[in-house]
């Protein structure tokens, strides 16, 4: 059985501004286009926690959360210390992990992030 890949991405226009997030898992794309006001960093954290929530709701036990925000991935993995407002996001992520399987979080290039591609396709240039 292969580990399921759960892609996540978040952003806002302008920054700060209206946030949106996307999660792609098992051929399913979930886009939440207006989740409130915040920064692109807030949107990335919300995308990560939503991706974990989706994985748990689907009953996945062997999965990896994949995103292109290197700073968020490093903080979620504990390799970079969290400070300031990021602490509340990390605490929420940690609380969700307690509720389910310990999540692995991996960084990839933006061009490989299916969730990022889904968001980009909503805003063609």
């Amino acid at each position: 059985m292969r580990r399921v890949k759960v892609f996540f991405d978040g952003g806002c226009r302008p920054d700060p501004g209206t946030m949106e997030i996307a999660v792609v898992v098992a051929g399913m794309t979930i886009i939440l286009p207006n989740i409130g006001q915040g920064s692109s960093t807030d949107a990335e954290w919300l995308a990560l926690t939503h991706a974990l929530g989706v994985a748990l709701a689907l009953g996945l036990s062997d999965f990896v959360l994949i995103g292109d925000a290197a700073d968020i991935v490093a903080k979620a993995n504990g390799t970079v210390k969290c400070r300031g407002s990021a602490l509340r996001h990390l605490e929420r992520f940690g609380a969700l992990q307690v509720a389910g399987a310990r999540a692995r979080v991996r960084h990839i290039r933006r061009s490989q992030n299916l969730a990022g591609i889904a968001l980009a396709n909503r805003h063609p240039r």
Side-chain angles (χ1 to χ4, degrees), residues 31 38 57-58:
I31 296 177
L58 291 173

Side-chain angles (χ1 to χ4, degrees), residues 68-112:
D68 58 36
D71 185 54
I72 304 304
V73 170
K75 288 176 179 172
N77 283 325
T79 57
V80 172
K81 187 168 179 140
C82 252
R83 294 192 167 108
S85 64
L87 279 173
R88 69 180 162 89
H89 292 299
L90 182 62
E91 288 169 359
R92 177 159 162 64
F93 180 69
L96 282 172
Q97 288 190 95
V98 169
R102 173 85 180 139
R104 291 173 292 280
V105 186
R106 194 180 87 191
H107 177 259
I108 57 169
R109 292 187 309 245
R110 184 174 306 251
S111 63
Q112 297 174 308

Side-chain angles (χ1 to χ4, degrees), residues 16-115:
T18 303
M19 296 182 294
E20 63 183 358
I21 63 173
V23 174
V24 176
V25 59
M28 175 177 49
T29 302
I30 302 162
I31 296 177
L32 301 178
N34 183 357
I35 58 170
Q37 298 293 305
S39 69
S40 59
T41 300
D42 292 326
E44 290 286 357
W45 274 110
L46 293 172
L48 172 61
T49 56
H50 190 69
L52 178 54
V54 167
L56 296 175
L58 291 173
L60 301 178
S61 58
D62 190 16
F63 62 92
V64 59
L65 303 170
I66 302 174
D68 58 36
D71 185 54
I72 304 304
V73 170
K75 288 176 179 172
N77 283 325
T79 57
V80 172
K81 187 168 179 140
C82 252
R83 294 192 167 108
S85 64
L87 279 173
R88 69 180 162 89
H89 292 299
L90 182 62
E91 288 169 359
R92 177 159 162 64
F93 180 69
L96 282 172
Q97 288 190 95
V98 169
R102 173 85 180 139
R104 291 173 292 280
V105 186
R106 194 180 87 191
H107 177 259
I108 57 169
R109 292 187 309 245
R110 184 174 306 251
S111 63
Q112 297 174 308
N113 188 349
L114 298 181

